[in-house]
Amino acid sequence: MSERMKISDEITVGPQPSADEIEKIAGEGFASLVNFRSAGEDEQPLSPDAEQQKVEANGLKYLHIPVSMQEMTPEVVDRFRDQYRGLPKPVFAHCKSGKRAG
């Protein structure tokens, strides 16, 4: 997963990890994972529910905030901000490619 971008010491963004990559993310010291993908998007190696199970099985906190151009509202942004504050850091956040997450 070479397309990562470290935004700060608290957050890194990148493309959706596979199940094996989630284990690596946990081993790298990340404490939480945020998924910005909507259920049913193309090329989704794990559904949000399956991803949550894998993330939590590896000891990380999981947050799913579906974001799309049709669903991007101030309320979605505020919900993310509110929930992000309570997540253990550092956080790995993803969408399909990492652009939306960034």
Side-chain angles (χ1 to χ4, degrees):
M1 200 177 340
S2 61
E3 301 93 21
R4 291 183 185 182
M5 180 188 297
K6 185 174 181 178
I7 304 295
S8 71
D9 288 340
E10 286 192 0
I11 190 162
T12 297
V13 298
Q16 181 170 7
S18 67
D20 290 340
E21 289 168 334
I22 289 171
E23 291 179 19
K24 291 176 186 173
I25 287 168
E28 293 171 7
F30 287 95
S32 301
L33 187 142
V34 177
N35 177 2
F36 289 113
R37 298 194 76 186
S38 298
E41 285 185 30
D42 290 340
E43 299 177 41
Q44 205 166 32
L46 297 169
S47 70
D49 290 339
E51 183 174 281
Q52 180 175 7
Q53 290 175 0
K54 185 69 174 177
V55 167
E56 291 176 350
N58 279 278
L60 283 77
K61 294 289 184 187
Y62 182 77
L63 176 60
H64 181 223
I65 303 279
V67 175
S68 71
M69 293 308 291
Q70 296 78 22
E71 298 169 347
M72 179 56 81
T73 64
E75 292 80 21
V76 171
V77 174
D78 289 343
R79 191 175 82 196
F80 168 70
R81 284 184 185 146
D82 290 344
Q83 293 183 28
Y84 175 80
R85 287 184 190 108
L87 289 176
K89 312 297 187 290
V91 172
F92 180 82
H94 79 81
C95 56
K96 179 180 176 182
S97 67
K99 292 178 184 177
R100 189 176 355 161

